Amino acid sequence: MATNRTFTMLKPDAIENGYMGKIIDMIIGAGFDIKALKYTKLSVEQAKEFYAVHAERPFYGELVEYMSSGPIVAAILEKDNAVEDFRKLIGATDPAEAAEGTIRKAFAENKGRNAVHGSDSDENAEIEGKFHFAANEVF
Ligand code: IDP
Ligand code: MG
C-alpha cells in the first residue's frame, strides 16, 4: 500500500556546515509537513544497522564512520507522493550529478558526505521512521 510519508536525515556534514535551518526551510517550502523531528546522533552500532543493506559495498566502513561522526536531524515527512517527490528534492547521490535546485546540489560536499538521506520506498520509509521514532513521537 502506498503511503504519503517518507523519512529523512540531515547528515553530519550538513549539521557541521551550518545548513540545518536552510535545509529544513527547503523541505517545508517544498510542501512537506513535519510529522516527527529529532536532533540526535547515531552510535556506530546504529549506523551499521541503518545501512546494513550496504554492508557488502566498498564504502560501508567509511559510511558508518561518517554517519556516526556527529549529530544528525532525523524526521518523518508527509506529502502526496512523498517518497518520490523527496528523492527529487534531494537530487542524485553525487552532488556533481544533482540537478539545480536540489538540496544535494546546494549543500552536499561529495558523494559520501551528501548532506541528506531520503528513503527509497514506502516500505523503507516506514522501517526507517520506526528505527528513529516511537509512536508517541510522531504527530
Ligand atoms: P542514496 O543516499 O542516494 O539513496 P545509496 O546508494 O543508497 O544513495 O547510498 C547510501 C549512502 O552511502 C549515500 O547517500 C552516501 O552517503 C554513501 N555512498 C554511496 N555511494 C558512495 C560512494 O561511492 N562512496 C562513498 N560513499 C557513498
Ligand atoms: Mg539509498
Side-chain angles (χ1 to χ4, degrees):
M1 192 188 75
T3 72
N4 53 1
R5 291 191 178 187
T6 190
F7 170 79
T8 188
M9 291 183 289
L10 312 195
K11 297 183 176 184
D13 63 297
I15 305 305
E16 234 175 87
N17 293 329
Y19 298 141
M20 187 200 296
K22 285 183 172 154
I23 293 174
I24 292 174
D25 205 39
M26 267 180 89
I27 291 170
I28 294 171
F32 291 87
D33 288 333
I34 293 179
K35 308 306 288 186
L37 187 74
K38 189 178 284 186
Y39 189 40
T40 185
K41 186 170 185 283
L42 295 174
S43 67
V44 170
E45 284 314 310
Q46 284 175 312
K48 277 184 183 166
E49 190 185 336
F50 190 90
Y51 284 107
V53 64
H54 295 304
E56 304 307 320
R57 309 278 287 275
F59 57 82
Y60 181 63
E62 180 191 333
L63 177 60
V64 167
E65 190 185 342
Y66 150 62
M67 284 304 298
S68 58
S69 68
I72 61 160
V73 170
I76 295 173
L77 307 174
E78 188 171 86
K79 180 186 182 298
D80 289 347
N81 203 34
V83 166
E84 192 184 340
D85 285 3
F86 193 70
R87 293 292 304 202
K88 275 188 199 144
L89 178 66
I90 70 178
T93 307
D94 185 343
E97 291 164 17
E100 282 300 333
T102 62
I103 292 174
R104 282 169 168 168
K105 176 73 177 182
F107 301 117
E109 291 182 14
N110 55 50
K111 193 175 184 182
R113 296 170 59 88
N114 60 1
V116 63
H117 167 83
S119 304
D120 61 8
S121 66
D122 288 341
E123 189 192 3
N124 283 335
E126 188 170 347
I127 293 168
E128 293 170 0
K130 284 185 172 151
F131 185 92
H132 282 273
F133 294 100
N136 68 352
E137 295 176 308
V138 184
F139 302 98

